[in-house]
Structure formats: C-alpha cells, structure tokens
C-alpha cells in the first residue's frame, strides 16, 4: 500500500486525538476519508475542518461496541467511495483506579470499546479488504501500555495487550492464507491528546492517585502532536511495517526490562 493517493481510509475514534491526527494525515496524503466517532457533534466539526482543506471526507456517527453499527460504517464507506483500503481501529477509553475498586461495569465498558471495538472493525471490514484487488491494510491502535503494564489503569492495559495479541494472530492468519492485506499494531507513547481529561475514575483512589493523574496529564501535554502520530501510522502502512511506535521508543528500555526478567527465568 505504498501509494495512498485516492485510496479510501476509515478511522474510528476520529473526532479527536490520534484518530483525528490520522484522519488529517490521510487527507494530506490525498486519501478519501471516512471518519467515525460516538460524539456526533465533534465528528461533524472535524469533517467540516477536513473539507475546508479540500479533502474528500464523510462522517458516520458510530458506536464501536455495537457490531451492527460497525457493519453500517463499512456499508457507508462502500456507498460513498466504493470500497476501503486502510482501516484504523483507533477508538479507545481509559479508567483510573485499582483493579479491585474499578467497577465491573467499567471493566466491561473498557473492553467493549478498546478490545471488541477492534474485533468488530476486523470482522466488518476484512471481507472488503480481502476482496479489494488493490489490496488493503488494517491498523489496530494499542498502546505502549499494552506492553508496559502499570498500576491504576488495569482495564486499559489489559485490553491494549489484547489488541497486540489479536494483531499478531491476524498477521499470522493473513500470511497463512496468502492474502494481500497488511497489519500494523500501533503502540503510542506520550501523544498530545485529551485521554487524561476523560478518565473514568473510580470512586475511591489511594493517596498516590491524584499525583499519578497529574503526571498522566503532563505526559500528554508534552507528547508529540497527534498529526505527527498519524503520519507515523501512515508510514507504517506504506512500508508494510507491523509495529508503529509514535513516541514510544523512549519507553522501550522498560519493555526490555520485562524481557530480561523473563530471560532470567528461562536461563
């Protein structure tokens, strides 16, 4: 998928953050863009902003936790542009609190969006990508948190680890069948998004909770721009890279530390 001009890109969670940055990068690359988000008003504003740059773009309000809604998103892409070439399963949310004090309903909510939102995207769009004579590419947005499992965000990190595992399985299955569809899993580090402003916070937090939230916010504030992250994602699509790590390299020594711990066990 080295040539993106004129291709059709679909992005979930596209009204803000990395999703919006990816949609903007797609538009700048000459792609026709289908944006999906649960926030219909903010989605409409994002689509308008893209169109003002001359881009071809439509918005489809979508709840990624509803498989029928994601299938309707695929149908909308076909109706508007005939097919899809690059699908970015990006929508995500995060809780904050200890694993045992986070409400079970919030555990389910996070997995419904972060994990099953990706599953629904894969199931709805893979038939289109497989049938596309020009090939296709599926991008699943995880997080460095999917490899660096830390405190207070257990549902988020667990769901993001699941996205990495799903993406690895998908890559193996597509290779097994010889399909001309690529897979990229995205593990961002600090990116300038609003995710820390929209945490689903447990009713009770330990004393360390408030300072940790402030560190999260500062990390996001000093992260790379979302548009830059979107450009890194598109570069991975162009080159067929499995891993994309927008601003994630700085955290890789912590990933290596986990590997070293495991290596010490196996000898």
């Amino acid at each position: 998928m080295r040539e993106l001009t004129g291709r059709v890109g679909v992005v979930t969670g596209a009204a803000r953050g990395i999703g919006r940055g990816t949609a903007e990068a797609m538009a700048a690359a000459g792609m026709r863009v289908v944006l999906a988000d649960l926030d219909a008003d903010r989605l409409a504003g994002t689509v308008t902003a893209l169109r003002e740059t001359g881009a071809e773009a439509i918005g489809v309000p979508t709840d990624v936790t509803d498989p029928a809604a994601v299938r309707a998103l695929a149908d909308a892409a076909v109706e508007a542009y005939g097919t899809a070439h690059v699908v970015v399963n990006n929508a995500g949310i995060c809780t904050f609190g200890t694993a045992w004090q986070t409400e079970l309903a919030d555990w389910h909510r996070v997995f419904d969006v972060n994990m099953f939102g990706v599953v629904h995207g894969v199931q709805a769009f893979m038939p289109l990508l497989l049938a596309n004579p020009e090939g296709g590419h599926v991008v699943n947005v995880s997080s460095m948190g999917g490899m660096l499992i830390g405190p207070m965000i257990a549902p988020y990190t667990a769901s993001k680890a699941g996205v990495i595992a799903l993406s690895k399985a998908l890559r193996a299955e597509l290779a097994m069948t010889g399909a001309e569809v690529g897979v990229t899993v995205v593990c961002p580090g600090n990116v300038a998004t609003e995710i820390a402003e929209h945490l689903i916070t447990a009713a009770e937090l330990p004393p360390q909770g408030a300072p940790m939230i402030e560190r999260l916010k500062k990390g996001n504030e000093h992260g790379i721009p979302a548009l830059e992250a979107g450009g890194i994602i598109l570069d991975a699509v162009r080159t067929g890279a499995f891993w994309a790590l927008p601003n994630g390299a700085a955290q890789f020594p912590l990933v290596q530390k986990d590997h070293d711990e495991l290596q010490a066990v196996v000898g």
Side-chain angles (χ1 to χ4, degrees):
M1 196 58 64
R2 290 189 176 276
E3 179 53 60
L4 296 179
T5 303
R7 300 292 196 252
V8 179
V10 181
V11 186
T12 67
R16 58 165 58 90
I18 292 174
R20 176 166 181 158
T22 302
E24 291 172 343
M26 285 179 169
M31 298 182 71
R32 295 170 288 171
V33 191
V34 180
L35 294 84
D37 202 281
L38 188 61
D39 187 338
D41 291 338
R42 189 153 183 167
L43 176 64
T46 303
V47 171
T48 297
L50 283 183
R51 288 175 175 171
E52 287 174 350
T53 69
E56 289 189 63
I58 64 168
V60 184
T62 305
D63 179 356
V64 297
T65 70
D66 179 0
V70 182
R71 287 195 298 270
L73 173 63
D75 291 341
V78 171
E79 182 177 354
Y81 300 126
T83 189
H85 296 91
V86 181
V87 177
V88 181
N89 295 306
N90 164 74
I93 59 173
C94 186
T95 59
F96 191 86
T98 60
W100 62 92
Q101 290 177 312
T102 299
E103 294 289 341
L104 187 57
D106 290 332
W107 271 92
H108 282 287
R109 184 178 176 190
V110 169
F111 269 79
D112 282 345
V113 175
N114 295 2
M115 183 68 205
F116 281 97
V118 175
V119 172
H120 298 158
V122 168
Q123 293 204 333
F125 282 95
M126 193 57 71
L128 276 180
L129 300 179
L130 290 170
N132 196 328
E134 297 168 318
H137 204 101
V138 60
V139 177
N140 298 327
V141 178
S142 177
S143 169
M144 287 303 292
M147 293 185 279
L148 302 173
I149 311 302
M152 305 299 287
I153 52 173
Y156 177 82
T157 57
S159 62
K160 291 300 188 178
V163 171
I164 294 173
L166 169 62
S167 301
K168 288 181 175 180
L170 189 61
R171 173 177 61 171
E173 291 163 355
L174 289 167
M176 180 180 68
T177 59
E180 294 295 322
V181 177
V183 180
T184 294
V185 62
V186 184
C187 295
N190 285 329
V191 178
T193 72
E194 301 172 19
I195 190 168
E197 304 292 337
H198 297 278
L199 293 171
I200 304 167
T201 306
E204 296 183 37
L205 294 177
Q208 303 93 329
M212 289 179 70
I213 291 176
E214 289 306 310
R215 285 197 294 272
L216 281 173
K217 291 179 179 179
K218 288 182 180 179
N220 285 346
E221 289 171 2
H222 294 92
I224 64 172
L227 178 58
E228 183 178 341
I232 292 169
I233 291 169
L234 285 198
D235 285 344
V237 172
R238 288 188 182 97
T239 61
F242 178 71
W243 295 99
L245 308 176
N247 205 26
Q251 294 172 305
F252 192 77
L254 296 175
V255 178
Q256 186 62 51
K257 184 178 179 180
D258 270 0
H259 284 240
D260 291 345
E261 183 180 26
L262 183 60
Q263 185 64 49
V265 175
V266 300

